[in-house]
PDB file of all heavy atoms in Angstrom:
ATOM      1  N   GLU A 359      95.225 115.156 112.292  1.00 97.00           N
ATOM      2  CA  GLU A 359      94.331 114.210 113.084  1.00 97.00           C
ATOM      3  C   GLU A 359      94.767 114.121 114.506  1.00 97.00           C
ATOM      4  O   GLU A 359      95.930 114.145 114.808  1.00 97.00           O
ATOM      5  CB  GLU A 359      94.351 112.829 112.402  1.00 97.00           C
ATOM      6  CG  GLU A 359      93.695 112.747 111.049  1.00 97.00           C
ATOM      7  CD  GLU A 359      92.190 112.851 111.186  1.00 97.00           C
ATOM      8  OE1 GLU A 359      91.602 112.294 112.163  1.00 97.00           O
ATOM      9  OE2 GLU A 359      91.605 113.506 110.294  1.00 97.00           O
ATOM     10  N   PRO A 360      93.789 113.935 115.437  1.00 96.00           N
ATOM     11  CA  PRO A 360      94.147 113.826 116.853  1.00 96.00           C
ATOM     12  C   PRO A 360      94.568 112.415 117.245  1.00 96.00           C
ATOM     13  O   PRO A 360      94.825 112.175 118.452  1.00 96.00           O
ATOM     14  CB  PRO A 360      92.814 114.223 117.534  1.00 96.00           C
ATOM     15  CG  PRO A 360      91.777 113.828 116.561  1.00 96.00           C
ATOM     16  CD  PRO A 360      92.368 114.024 115.218  1.00 96.00           C
ATOM     17  N   ALA A 361      94.588 111.486 116.343  1.00 97.00           N
ATOM     18  CA  ALA A 361      94.877 110.072 116.683  1.00 97.00           C
ATOM     19  C   ALA A 361      96.360 109.896 117.066  1.00 97.00           C
ATOM     20  O   ALA A 361      97.238 110.719 116.719  1.00 97.00           O
ATOM     21  CB  ALA A 361      94.566 109.217 115.442  1.00 97.00           C
ATOM     22  N   GLU A 362      96.624 108.779 117.697  1.00 98.00           N
ATOM     23  CA  GLU A 362      98.025 108.445 118.138  1.00 98.00           C
ATOM     24  C   GLU A 362      98.577 107.432 117.150  1.00 98.00           C
ATOM     25  O   GLU A 362      99.825 107.455 116.896  1.00 98.00           O
ATOM     26  CB  GLU A 362      98.013 107.828 119.511  1.00 98.00           C
ATOM     27  CG  GLU A 362      99.350 107.328 120.023  1.00 98.00           C
ATOM     28  CD  GLU A 362     100.381 108.480 119.993  1.00 98.00           C
ATOM     29  OE1 GLU A 362     100.058 109.657 120.183  1.00 98.00           O
ATOM     30  OE2 GLU A 362     101.611 108.202 119.826  1.00 98.00           O
ATOM     31  N   ASN A 363      97.792 106.536 116.559  1.00 98.00           N
ATOM     32  CA  ASN A 363      98.307 105.522 115.642  1.00 98.00           C
ATOM     33  C   ASN A 363      97.631 105.602 114.281  1.00 98.00           C
ATOM     34  O   ASN A 363      96.417 105.872 114.169  1.00 98.00           O
ATOM     35  CB  ASN A 363      98.014 104.138 116.245  1.00 98.00           C
ATOM     36  CG  ASN A 363      98.631 103.949 117.614  1.00 98.00           C
ATOM     37  OD1 ASN A 363      99.798 104.168 117.820  1.00 98.00           O
ATOM     38  ND2 ASN A 363      97.800 103.556 118.568  1.00 98.00           N
ATOM     39  N   PHE A 364      98.407 105.356 113.248  1.00 98.00           N
ATOM     40  CA  PHE A 364      97.909 105.478 111.855  1.00 98.00           C
ATOM     41  C   PHE A 364      98.319 104.295 111.023  1.00 98.00           C
ATOM     42  O   PHE A 364      99.400 103.712 111.257  1.00 98.00           O
ATOM     43  CB  PHE A 364      98.461 106.753 111.191  1.00 98.00           C
ATOM     44  CG  PHE A 364      98.091 108.027 111.863  1.00 98.00           C
ATOM     45  CD1 PHE A 364      98.878 108.592 112.892  1.00 98.00           C
ATOM     46  CD2 PHE A 364      96.907 108.651 111.503  1.00 98.00           C
ATOM     47  CE1 PHE A 364      98.512 109.786 113.481  1.00 98.00           C
ATOM     48  CE2 PHE A 364      96.535 109.851 112.085  1.00 98.00           C
ATOM     49  CZ  PHE A 364      97.333 110.402 113.082  1.00 98.00           C
ATOM     50  N   ILE A 365      97.479 103.931 110.081  1.00 98.00           N
ATOM     51  CA  ILE A 365      97.836 102.933 109.088  1.00 98.00           C
ATOM     52  C   ILE A 365      97.478 103.445 107.733  1.00 98.00           C
ATOM     53  O   ILE A 365      96.330 103.970 107.572  1.00 98.00           O
ATOM     54  CB  ILE A 365      97.138 101.538 109.391  1.00 98.00           C
ATOM     55  CG1 ILE A 365      97.622 100.947 110.673  1.00 98.00           C
ATOM     56  CG2 ILE A 365      97.369 100.594 108.208  1.00 98.00           C
ATOM     57  CD1 ILE A 365      97.012  99.656 111.044  1.00 98.00           C
ATOM     58  N   CYS A 366      98.353 103.357 106.784  1.00 98.00           N
ATOM     59  CA  CYS A 366      98.071 103.721 105.393  1.00 98.00           C
ATOM     60  C   CYS A 366      98.421 102.495 104.523  1.00 98.00           C
ATOM     61  O   CYS A 366      99.405 101.768 104.759  1.00 98.00           O
ATOM     62  CB  CYS A 366      99.018 104.888 104.965  1.00 98.00           C
ATOM     63  SG  CYS A 366      98.865 106.369 105.963  1.00 98.00           S
ATOM     64  N   ILE A 367      97.553 102.259 103.538  1.00 98.00           N
ATOM     65  CA  ILE A 367      97.694 101.166 102.574  1.00 98.00           C
ATOM     66  C   ILE A 367      97.624 101.725 101.202  1.00 98.00           C
ATOM     67  O   ILE A 367      96.663 102.449 100.834  1.00 98.00           O
ATOM     68  CB  ILE A 367      96.594 100.100 102.826  1.00 98.00           C
ATOM     69  CG1 ILE A 367      96.561  99.664 104.301  1.00 98.00           C
ATOM     70  CG2 ILE A 367      96.814  98.930 101.864  1.00 98.00           C
ATOM     71  CD1 ILE A 367      95.338  98.805 104.612  1.00 98.00           C
ATOM     72  N   ASP A 368      98.584 101.416 100.336  1.00 95.00           N
ATOM     73  CA  ASP A 368      98.619 101.886  98.981  1.00 95.00           C
ATOM     74  C   ASP A 368      97.404 101.270  98.226  1.00 95.00           C
ATOM     75  O   ASP A 368      96.919 100.196  98.556  1.00 95.00           O
ATOM     76  CB  ASP A 368      99.886 101.495  98.277  1.00 95.00           C
ATOM     77  CG  ASP A 368     101.027 102.412  98.686  1.00 95.00           C
ATOM     78  OD1 ASP A 368     100.852 103.327  99.476  1.00 95.00           O
ATOM     79  OD2 ASP A 368     102.159 102.229  98.162  1.00 95.00           O
ATOM     80  N   ASP A 369      97.055 101.935  97.130  1.00 94.00           N
ATOM     81  CA  ASP A 369      95.862 101.532  96.363  1.00 94.00           C
ATOM     82  C   ASP A 369      96.050 100.390  95.443  1.00 94.00           C
ATOM     83  O   ASP A 369      95.175 100.002  94.712  1.00 94.00           O
ATOM     84  CB  ASP A 369      95.276 102.741  95.631  1.00 94.00           C
ATOM     85  CG  ASP A 369      96.204 103.313  94.623  1.00 94.00           C
ATOM     86  OD1 ASP A 369      97.346 102.794  94.480  1.00 94.00           O
ATOM     87  OD2 ASP A 369      95.794 104.293  93.957  1.00 94.00           O
ATOM     88  N   ALA A 370      97.262  99.790  95.484  1.00 93.00           N
ATOM     89  CA  ALA A 370      97.486  98.577  94.653  1.00 93.00           C
ATOM     90  C   ALA A 370      97.759  97.334  95.511  1.00 93.00           C
ATOM     91  O   ALA A 370      98.213  96.348  94.983  1.00 93.00           O
ATOM     92  CB  ALA A 370      98.726  98.800  93.709  1.00 93.00           C
ATOM     93  N   LEU A 371      97.423  97.438  96.773  1.00 96.00           N
ATOM     94  CA  LEU A 371      97.644  96.295  97.723  1.00 96.00           C
ATOM     95  C   LEU A 371      96.394  96.002  98.457  1.00 96.00           C
ATOM     96  O   LEU A 371      95.741  96.902  99.056  1.00 96.00           O
ATOM     97  CB  LEU A 371      98.761  96.726  98.669  1.00 96.00           C
ATOM     98  CG  LEU A 371      99.166  95.645  99.701  1.00 96.00           C
ATOM     99  CD1 LEU A 371      99.754  94.388  98.969  1.00 96.00           C
ATOM    100  CD2 LEU A 371     100.222  96.156 100.689  1.00 96.00           C
ATOM    101  N   PHE A 372      95.931  94.770  98.378  1.00 97.00           N
ATOM    102  CA  PHE A 372      94.674  94.336  99.009  1.00 97.00           C
ATOM    103  C   PHE A 372      95.010  93.465 100.188  1.00 97.00           C
ATOM    104  O   PHE A 372      95.361  92.291 100.055  1.00 97.00           O
ATOM    105  CB  PHE A 372      93.815  93.560  98.000  1.00 97.00           C
ATOM    106  CG  PHE A 372      93.410  94.354  96.783  1.00 97.00           C
ATOM    107  CD1 PHE A 372      94.091  94.186  95.620  1.00 97.00           C
ATOM    108  CD2 PHE A 372      92.382  95.254  96.836  1.00 97.00           C
ATOM    109  CE1 PHE A 372      93.724  94.908  94.468  1.00 97.00           C
ATOM    110  CE2 PHE A 372      92.004  96.004  95.696  1.00 97.00           C
ATOM    111  CZ  PHE A 372      92.663  95.788  94.546  1.00 97.00           C
TER     112      PHE A 372
END
Side-chain angles (χ1 to χ4, degrees):
E359 290 290 321
E362 178 56 31
N363 302 307
F364 298 92
I365 295 179
C366 301
I367 304 168
D368 283 1
D369 61 0
L371 182 63
F372 300 99

